[in-house]
């Protein structure tokens, strides 16, 4: 059975491979996405190490001068996606979007290097990527943490990757819809509209894009100007893990300055993350930076800190919390609390289970010795694939596949789960 799944996963990655980058899936997402690529590279590495490095290198070839790595690179023309390059108009040679995505590259590159069979090639390529990744991390702390709190804010829900999470509902109310250009969505042509964000949410997504464009995509102004500024524990945890992994990688490569800066960023981020801990709910919460208040919304964003090198007590508490969710959910780990009124088992980030999130949580749990919960998450993940194939996401209630199909990062995570998680890193 495992061999058959591996074969199918490899076929999907080959089908979605456009040479120097991989599309998340044809049709719905026909370009290169930032965190999709970095996580997909982990799967590619089992097939072809050179190709895996290329995936991340292609992404960083399009890093902005200020250090930001955009969330989409529009390598080719394709009218099947909205909002395409003519909406963003960011002015880059190869068009890109103007916002970013979870900073998973530091983690991915460290893992590619650690596992590399061709160590010489890996060292050469990691050394070239190292300063670029550091530059991106520095960009985050400079532009998205202007008061030097150790926590960065997202200024558009798309940056979190968790586009329509219930976490954003209140803050998103503050984003107006007046003056939004008329537009036609394409996503609902490719997949069931019931699995996607609503039209009202799309209007607000586009309003923010219009605002940032009117400020010439000047990142020194966007944070303060945005009516949507949320500190997401999951997003910060991914950045912290990447800083910590970049420090380790730099150490191995003899780049002590980078190691020092990155270790400091990780330590500061970890200390600041404590402000987001909610003792009542035994998980982390988002912080609305506009009001200064924690957002009482129990999402997987508050469990994802398990991916960061948290103190033991926090890791134990998160493991316990996930075990309690296991009683409600047929398939771990739902993107939102199943008991919440707004939970929706098929609508994108308002309930469904995602394999990449499962992988990151299981990885953190396994690294910190919580092997039973890591194993449980892995078992549920593979059950979902057996039942519903390589979907974009799954109902945690009945396991049905939702969103796009033949999905690259789902395939990559299956390769990872089946090949690696039991082995030392
Ligand atoms: C989409 O188009 O749904 C993406 O998630 C935005 O990055």
């Amino acid at each position: 059975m495992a061999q058959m799944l591996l074969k199918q996963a490899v076929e999907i990655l080959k089908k979605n491979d456009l040479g120097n980058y991989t599309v998340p899936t044809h049709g719905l997402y026909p370009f290169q996405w930032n965190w999709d690529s970095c996580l997909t590279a982990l799967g590619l590495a089992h097939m072809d190490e050179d190709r895996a490095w290329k995936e991340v290198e292609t992404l960083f070839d399009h890093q902005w001068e200020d250090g930001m790595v955009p969330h989409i690179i529009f390598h080719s023309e394709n009218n099947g996606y909205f909002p395409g390059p003519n909406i963003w108009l960011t002015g880059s040679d190869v068009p890109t979007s103007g916002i970013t995505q979870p900073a998973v590259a530091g983690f991915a590159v460290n893992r590619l290097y650690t596992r590399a069979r061709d160590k010489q090639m890996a060292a050469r390529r990691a050394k070239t990527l190292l300063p670029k990744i550091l530059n991106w991390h520095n960009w985050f702390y400079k532009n998205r943490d202007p008061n030097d709190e150790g926590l960065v804010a997202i200024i558009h829900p798309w940056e979190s990757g968790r586009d329509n999470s219930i976490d954003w509902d209140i803050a998103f109310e503050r984003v107006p819809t007046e003056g939004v250009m008329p537009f036609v969505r394409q996503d609902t042509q490719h997949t069931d509209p019931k699995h996607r964000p609503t039209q009202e949410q799309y209007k607000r997504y586009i309003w923010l894009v219009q605002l940032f464009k009117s400020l010439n995509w000047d990142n020194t102004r966007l944070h303060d100007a945005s009516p949507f500024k949320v500190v997401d524990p999951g997003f910060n945890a991914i950045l912290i893990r990447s800083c910590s992994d970049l420090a380790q990688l730099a150490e191995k490569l003899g780049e002590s300055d980078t190691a020092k800066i990155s270790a400091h960023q990780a330590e500061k981020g970890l200390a600041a993350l404590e402000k987001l801990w909610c003792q009542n709910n035994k998980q982390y919460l988002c912080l609305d930076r506009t009001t200064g208040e924690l957002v009482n919304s129990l999402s997987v964003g508050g469990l994802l800190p398990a991916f960061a090198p948290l103190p033991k007590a926090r890791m134990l508490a998160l493991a316990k919390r996930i075990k309690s969710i296991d009683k409600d959910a047929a398939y771990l780990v739902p993107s939102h609390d199943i008991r919440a009124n707004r939970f929706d088992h098929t609508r994108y980030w308002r309930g469904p289970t995602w394999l990449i999130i499962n992988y990151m949580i299981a990885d953190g749990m396994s690294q910190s010795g919580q092997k039973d919960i890591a194993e449980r998450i892995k078992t549920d993940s593979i059950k979902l694939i057996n039942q519903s194939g390589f979907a974009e996401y799954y109902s945690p209630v009945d396991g049905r596949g939702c969103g796009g199909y033949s999905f690259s990062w789902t395939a990559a995570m299956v390769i990872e789960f089946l090949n690696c998680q039991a082995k030392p890193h």
Side-chain angles (χ1 to χ4, degrees):
M1 184 60 92
Q3 281 313 316
M4 204 181 78
L5 288 187
L6 279 172
K7 196 164 157 260
Q8 288 169 352
V10 167
E11 273 163 20
I12 287 170
L13 290 185
K14 284 189 179 155
K15 190 172 110 183
N16 293 344
D17 180 359
L18 295 189
N20 293 335
Y21 69 98
T22 309
V23 293
T25 184
H26 290 285
L28 184 60
Y29 302 117
F31 309 107
Q32 183 176 25
W33 261 259
N34 184 326
W35 72 323
D36 287 73
S37 262
C38 294
L39 292 165
T40 296
L42 298 177
L44 291 173
H46 296 274
M47 299 151 61
D48 178 347
E49 281 188 352
D50 171 60
R51 180 63 190 79
W53 285 101
K54 190 77 214 156
E55 186 76 26
V56 185
E57 288 161 354
T58 304
L59 176 68
F60 277 85
D61 283 347
H62 301 279
Q63 183 167 28
W64 282 17
E65 246 169 54
D66 68 0
M68 187 185 79
V69 184
H71 102 291
I72 309 175
I73 319 295
F74 299 106
H75 290 282
S76 59
E77 284 188 22
N78 190 313
N79 293 330
Y81 180 80
F82 175 85
N86 57 332
I87 305 295
W88 295 92
L89 296 176
T90 55
S92 27
D93 294 346
V94 172
T96 71
S97 70
I99 55 173
T100 194
Q101 253 186 342
V104 81
F107 156 74
V109 166
N110 184 41
R111 185 146 287 181
L112 289 183
Y113 177 80
T114 312
R115 293 221 192 110
R117 296 177 290 276
D118 186 342
K119 269 285 185 283
Q120 228 178 355
M121 173 181 79
R124 181 173 48 79
R125 296 175 90 158
K127 268 198 176 200
T128 311
L129 281 166
L130 202 69
K132 299 182 183 184
I133 301 174
L134 176 66
N135 194 9
W136 189 23
H137 294 172
N138 289 340
W139 173 88
F140 269 115
Y141 288 113
K142 174 166 174 250
N143 294 283
R144 299 307 180 74
D145 179 19
N147 294 329
D148 202 21
E149 294 166 22
L151 294 170
V152 300
I154 52 161
I155 58 170
H156 192 298
W158 285 340
E159 292 200 311
S160 69
R162 300 189 295 116
D163 300 12
N164 66 340
S165 168
I166 293 167
D167 292 352
W168 326 134
D169 285 1
I170 293 173
F172 217 27
E173 290 280 307
R174 253 174 258 131
V175 177
T177 54
E178 292 78 34
V180 175
M181 54 181 265
F183 61 86
V184 180
R185 287 170 66 174
Q186 299 292 327
D187 56 318
T188 43
Q189 307 293 318
H190 297 290
T191 187
D192 187 341
K194 286 200 291 299
H195 298 175
R196 296 287 303 171
T198 63
Q199 189 65 13
E200 271 306 296
Q201 284 163 336
Y202 255 79
K203 283 188 197 158
R204 292 183 160 91
Y205 296 149
I206 299 307
W207 191 94
L208 286 172
V209 171
Q210 287 178 204
L211 170 72
F212 303 153
K213 189 164 48 177
S214 76
L215 297 171
N216 298 320
W217 300 106
D218 176 354
N219 273 303
T220 61
R221 297 163 73 195
L222 303 191
H223 175 279
D224 289 355
S226 179
F228 180 88
K229 280 189 278 287
V230 179
V231 176
D232 170 11
F235 190 90
N236 276 276
I238 292 173
L239 179 57
I240 291 166
R241 171 71 184 264
S242 276
C243 290
S244 168
D245 282 9
L246 202 70
Q248 285 177 26
L249 179 63
E251 200 67 62
K252 286 180 249 178
L253 295 171
E255 304 281 348
S256 55
D257 285 350
T258 301
K260 223 162 104 192
I261 297 167
S262 298
H264 174 70
Q265 287 170 334
E267 272 163 38
K268 191 166 167 181
L270 276 176
L273 205 58
E274 274 300 295
K275 290 184 217 143
L276 308 182
W277 177 255
C278 173
Q279 191 55 26
N280 276 346
N281 292 301
K282 306 282 190 299
Q283 68 161 81
Y284 295 85
L285 296 177
C286 287
L287 177 97
D288 189 332
R289 195 169 259 171
T290 307
T291 61
E293 282 172 14
L294 288 176
V295 184
N296 194 11
S297 168
L298 301 183
S299 81
V300 79
L303 308 173
L304 200 45
F307 187 51
L310 296 181
K312 188 108 193 145
R314 291 284 176 257
M315 209 58 114
L316 281 171
L318 285 182
K320 220 166 139 190
R321 168 95 181 102
I322 296 171
K323 278 182 195 151
S324 78
I325 293 173
D326 193 24
K327 295 199 191 88
D328 294 331
Y331 302 90
L332 287 174
V333 181
S335 49
H336 204 85
D337 185 5
I338 292 201
R339 294 168 186 224
N341 288 339
R342 294 186 178 192
F343 168 82
D344 181 339
H345 74 125
T346 61
R347 207 183 275 281
Y348 214 26
W349 289 94
R350 298 176 81 85
T353 291
W354 293 70
L355 252 69
I356 37 132
I357 299 291
N358 278 6
Y359 174 78
M360 288 189 272
I361 294 178
D363 186 82
M365 285 290 162
S366 149
Q367 303 247 339
S368 75
Q370 303 297 317
K371 303 278 181 204
D372 57 338
I373 196 72
E375 202 46 43
R376 180 62 217 261
I377 293 172
K378 172 182 159 180
T379 305
D380 280 8
S381 303
I382 299 302
K383 262 206 288 192
L384 285 169
I385 306 293
N386 275 320
Q387 183 184 324
S388 302
F390 293 78
E392 187 178 0
Y393 43 94
Y394 303 86
S395 159
V397 176
D398 59 22
R400 80 180 73 165
C402 304
Y405 282 85
S406 295
F407 226 82
S408 296
W409 68 8
T410 306
M413 295 302 96
V414 168
I415 298 176
E416 279 285 284
F417 272 131
L418 293 178
N419 270 312
C420 303
Q421 273 203 338
K423 295 183 197 158
H425 300 281

